[in-house]
Amino acid sequence: LISLIIGVFMGSVAGYYGGKTDAVIMWLINVTWSIPTLLLVIAITLALGKGFWQVFIAVGLTMWVEVARVVRGQIISAKEMQYVTAAKALGYGNFRIITKHILPNIMAPVIVISAANFAAAILIESGLSFLGIGAQPPMASWGAMIKDHYNYIILGKPYLA
């Protein structure tokens, strides 16, 4: 949810306005994307503290880049459509054109990238829980379960895990 809100907002602004706004936002996207996601999540989680909600926020703050790039590309192509030109001719403001006319028409790719990000977020959280940074013991996590039974796996008896 956090990555969707940030990604849709940043991608919409960059794609619709273009120019220097697009250049600045794309620079921010490229800088954020150049840092490995797991490393960035670990840094944010350590800054916020251990726990499920801290990991939730950290993952949301790092996975918005893909959403923003997809939304930006879709808006660049959609803003040339006739219904956007008609909305501009009717005198609608930019905010209304983006939210009421463009965004509903580009939701299909956003839903697909959201599903992929959700799967990646589960893997990142389980990796952090395996390292002891993610969800803490009373809460169930795949990474914590693997960590608890790691000795069985390395001793050649994975069926016990």
Side-chain angles (χ1 to χ4, degrees):
L1 186 63
I2 295 170
S3 68
L4 272 177
I5 292 169
I6 296 171
V8 167
F9 175 75
M10 297 292 264
S12 298
V13 170
Y16 189 78
Y17 292 107
K20 291 188 181 200
T21 306
D22 182 36
V24 169
I25 292 175
M26 285 307 295
W27 178 83
L28 181 66
I29 287 171
N30 289 334
V31 167
T32 306
W33 214 0
S34 69
I35 303 168
T37 305
L38 187 60
L39 196 62
L40 192 57
V41 170
I42 289 172
I44 294 172
T45 303
L46 291 176
L48 296 176
K50 294 180 182 180
F52 175 75
W53 292 108
Q54 289 83 354
V55 172
F56 183 81
I57 292 169
V59 170
L61 290 175
T62 56
M63 299 193 72
W64 61 271
V65 204
E66 293 89 0
V67 177
R69 289 181 66 90
V70 168
V71 169
R72 175 186 171 267
Q74 291 294 316
I75 284 189
I76 286 173
S77 65
K79 75 178 183 179
E80 303 300 325
M81 302 297 278
Q82 291 179 355
Y83 61 86
V84 175
T85 307
K88 287 180 184 176
L90 289 171
Y92 293 149
N94 292 333
F95 180 77
R96 179 173 174 159
I97 293 172
I98 292 171
T99 57
K100 301 283 185 187
H101 300 281
I102 297 177
L103 284 180
N105 289 305
I106 65 162
M107 276 299 127
V110 173
I111 292 170
V112 171
I113 197 76
S114 298
N117 277 355
F118 190 73
I122 291 172
L123 289 175
I124 289 172
E125 189 280 325
S126 63
L128 290 175
S129 294
F130 179 78
L131 295 173
I133 302 171
Q136 296 305 307
M139 185 173 281
S141 172
W142 284 349
M145 287 186 241
I146 293 172
K147 183 181 178 183
D148 290 341
H149 300 96
Y150 185 67
N151 290 334
Y152 293 128
I153 295 171
I154 63 171
L155 292 176
K157 299 177 183 177
Y159 54 88
L160 292 175

